[in-house]
Amino acid sequence: MGWIFLMFAGIFEVVGVVGMNQINKSKNIRSFSLFIVGIVMSFSLLSLAMKSLPMGTSYAVWTGIGTVGGAIVGMLFYGESRDWKRLMFIAMVLAAAVGLKLIA
């Protein structure tokens, strides 16, 4: 169950980052709500995941999901670079997270 909590914690971290980006574009209640809900849910689910998973593994996978998710959202919705080198490093972050799952 810890891995499921951790996966959703990472997804909500991406939601929080999207909210933060929206706040920078227009300061309205929807943007602030998206940011707050994303961050609160992310930390809550991370806390639940850490009850059954090691702290180091949980944090590394959580930040990896957030990093990769933020980069992908940026490429898909905000016109950020899709350079092959960037994609290669995103794949490396994903491989590291999978590796941590396999050994934890």
Side-chain angles (χ1 to χ4, degrees), residues 46-85:
L46 177 62
S47 176
L48 290 172
M50 288 173 58
K51 290 182 179 188
S52 62
L53 298 172
M55 179 196 65
T57 300
S58 298
Y59 186 71
V61 171
W62 176 72
T63 57
I65 294 170
T67 300
V68 169
I72 291 172
V73 167
M75 287 187 288
L76 293 176
F77 299 108
Y78 298 108
E80 294 180 6
S81 169
R82 294 179 183 173
D83 183 64
W84 72 269
K85 292 177 271 188

Side-chain angles (χ1 to χ4, degrees), residues 4-5 7-8 21 31 40 51 53 58 61 73 88 94-95:
I4 293 170
F5 287 142
M7 181 183 68
F8 281 104
N21 191 39
S31 301
V40 168
K51 290 182 179 188
L53 298 172
S58 298
V61 171
V73 167
M88 180 185 67
L94 282 173

